[in-house]
Amino acid sequence: MESILLERDHPVVLIVDDDVTLRILVRETLEQSGFVVEEATDGVEAISAFRSVRPDIVLLDVMMPRMDGFVVCTEFRKFQGNEHIPVVMMTSLDDTESIDRAYEVGATDFITKPVNWGILPHRIRYILRASKAFNDLRKSEAKNQALLEAIPDMLFQISKDGTLLEIKGLRENHVVVPSDELLGKKVYDVMPSTVAKVIMKHLNRAFEAKEIEIFEYQHWVDGDKKFFEGRLVVSKEEKALAIIRDITEHKKAEERAFFLAYHDTLTQLPNRHLLKDRMRQALTYAERQHLLVAILFLDLDNFKRINDTLGHNIGDLLLQGVGDRLVKCVRRSDTVARVSTDASEPTVARLGGDEFTVLLNGILNIQNAAT
């Protein structure tokens, strides 16, 4: 059968039957009701027509030569993108076994022979409306699912006692494993104890305050520290919507931005801004504890000669090496490129060029600084 391109101003019906009289009656009945009708005489011709015409609905006889309707329907359902086209089986077989088999191979509905010609157009319109409604719903669900999958968050509804009631947009994210078996279980049963403890703590707060509760927590996964933000929104039904978002990349970006703002990019030592802050901390601590603060200013003799003769790359390596040695010269508790909260720890900083500064905190006298 030749490929036919049809305008879809009217629904296209493909009638597949080896009985020429029945095909003529179907054509006349349906065309009078505004349908466009295409014909196929057997299963092989039907498959070719289905591919080329792409009908809106198929009326398919069961008993045909070469290939029966059950096999043809099975082949129809293999065409990607057309697997939801309604297929109505037409048969004089009224036994339950044939009807069950028709549904098993993907038939949408069935019509028994002899056909009631008066209600046939109405029956087809009803099937088409039902099929359209189903397809619209399917597309809507697929769209919603795609939106949920695009959301990087984990969403779940949770009761006041920590029971998981509904899960959406959930995938493997190192917190829980996505599974229908999670529903009805407690948070403590499906999440690491440390995570469950944090969630339940803030869940209780949310129910007490009747307000949105926002919190953050950390969780180690395979040696990597992950950061998460949680939001809990309480409803009137003693339930809460929990939204968990992986903010690890955001946190890392924040840490990196902070590091770049307060550290020398070459030596990774604190820069002038961080040194000033450390000095304020050191002076406050020394005054409170009746101690002293010492500041050592150092530069490298003849450093310009290194850059001029060996090149700036070698000069950079020398600056990095000096920074490492200075850190090793002060107390072992020091950690370079770390903002310490202990004001007793000394600081090694680079102010630029070949200049370094060492801040010694919590010393007793000048001799301590010299040592």
Side-chain angles (χ1 to χ4, degrees):
M1 185 173 185
E2 295 181 358
S3 175
I4 303 174
L5 297 177
L6 298 170
E7 297 293 332
R8 294 307 165 98
D9 295 333
H10 302 282
V12 178
V13 180
L14 174 62
I15 170 67
V16 185
D17 200 300
D18 58 336
D19 186 340
V20 62
T21 302
L22 187 138
R23 294 200 311 274
I24 293 174
L25 290 173
V26 168
R27 175 182 286 278
E28 291 181 352
T29 301
L30 295 183
E31 286 183 344
Q32 290 176 5
S33 298
F35 292 95
V36 175
V37 179
E38 293 295 331
E39 300 180 24
T41 60
D42 58 33
V44 176
E45 196 173 288
I47 293 173
S48 176
F50 187 84
R51 182 186 291 109
S52 60
V53 174
R54 297 186 63 181
D56 295 294
I57 188 171
V58 179
L59 301 182
L60 178 63
D61 187 26
V62 170
M63 306 304 295
M64 294 184 298
R66 295 202 292 175
M67 187 182 297
D68 64 34
F70 300 122
V71 176
V72 174
C73 186
T74 301
E75 292 300 313
F76 284 169
R77 294 311 182 204
K78 294 179 181 179
F79 288 105
Q80 188 173 2
N82 299 325
E83 60 268 22
H84 299 292
I85 292 176
V87 176
V88 180
M89 305 291 275
M90 300 177 62
T91 178
S92 57
L93 302 176
D94 57 358
D95 60 290
T96 304
E97 182 179 352
S98 296
I99 295 173
D100 289 341
R101 187 179 176 192
Y103 286 124
E104 287 176 2
V105 297
T108 307
D109 205 342
F110 68 95
I111 294 176
T112 56
K113 297 178 181 180
V115 177
N116 186 328
W117 302 107
I119 66 170
L120 179 62
H122 303 289
R123 181 75 179 274
I124 291 179
R125 285 196 182 95
Y126 173 80
I127 294 173
L128 285 173
R129 283 198 300 269
S131 177
K132 182 179 184 303
F134 173 78
N135 287 332
D136 290 344
L137 178 61
R138 177 176 53 82
K139 291 176 181 178
S140 176
E141 290 179 346
K143 182 178 180 180
N144 291 338
Q145 184 61 35
L147 289 173
L148 285 173
E149 290 178 356
I151 296 175
D153 305 336
M154 176 180 72
L155 300 89
F156 57 91
Q157 197 172 62
I158 184 172
S159 66
K160 191 173 183 179
D161 65 354
T163 302
L164 296 175
L165 304 176
E166 186 178 5
I167 301 173
K168 293 182 178 180
L170 180 63
R171 52 178 158 245
E172 192 170 354
N173 55 12
H174 310 301
V175 182
V176 294
V177 176
S179 170
D180 293 338
E181 297 179 0
L182 296 177
L183 298 180
K185 292 190 176 181
K186 304 287 187 183
V187 172
Y188 277 103
D189 296 331
V190 298
M191 296 184 179
S193 59
T194 53
V195 175
K197 185 177 180 180
V198 171
I199 291 178
M200 290 305 300
K201 171 186 173 182
H202 290 280
L203 182 66
N204 293 331
R205 286 185 181 179
F207 276 107
E208 290 175 3
K210 301 297 182 182
E211 295 180 351
I212 297 176
E213 183 77 6
I214 302 175
F215 58 96
E216 293 184 7
Y217 64 91
Q218 303 172 14
H219 181 53
W220 287 88
V221 180
D222 299 329
D224 293 329
K225 184 164 63 173
K226 297 284 185 178
F227 296 87
F228 296 91
E229 178 190 81
R231 292 174 180 260
L232 292 165
V233 183
V234 176
S235 65
K236 297 180 180 179
E237 295 81 14
E238 294 296 293
K239 296 183 290 188
L241 174 65
I243 305 171
I244 305 297
R245 172 172 293 181
D246 187 337
I247 58 172
T248 303
E249 293 303 318
H250 176 69
K251 281 292 185 181
K252 288 182 178 179
E254 282 186 347
E255 291 177 355
R256 182 61 180 165
F258 178 84
F259 186 88
L260 292 175
Y262 291 100
H263 291 79
D264 171 48
T265 55
L266 177 62
T267 62
Q268 310 298 299
L269 296 175
N271 61 17
R272 187 184 302 273
H273 300 294
L274 184 53
L275 177 63
K276 288 181 178 179
D277 184 66
R278 296 278 183 88
M279 288 177 66
R280 283 193 292 267
Q281 293 181 35
L283 290 171
T284 301
Y285 180 81
E287 183 178 5
R288 186 169 61 246
Q289 300 295 328
H290 305 290
L291 297 171
L292 299 176
V293 174
I295 303 177
L296 283 61
F297 295 97
L298 304 93
D299 62 10
L300 304 183
D301 296 340
N302 302 316
F303 178 69
K304 185 176 182 300
R305 187 181 300 174
I306 298 294
N307 282 334
D308 292 342
T309 58
L310 301 178
H312 288 278
N313 290 339
I314 299 300
D316 290 346
L317 292 174
L318 178 60
L319 291 173
Q320 292 171 346
V322 170
D324 291 341
R325 291 191 182 190
L326 287 174
V327 170
K328 293 176 182 177
C329 288
V330 294
R331 285 166 287 188
R332 291 184 179 180
S333 57
D334 281 342
T335 301
V336 178
R338 178 173 67 89
V339 179
S340 174
T341 57
D342 185 351
S344 66
E345 294 187 355
T347 297
V348 178
R350 178 178 176 234
L351 300 186
D354 62 344
E355 299 175 356
F356 291 86
T357 299
V358 179
L359 175 64
L360 302 179
N361 311 287
I363 62 174
L364 299 175
N365 50 54
I366 296 176
Q367 185 57 39
N368 286 151
T371 302

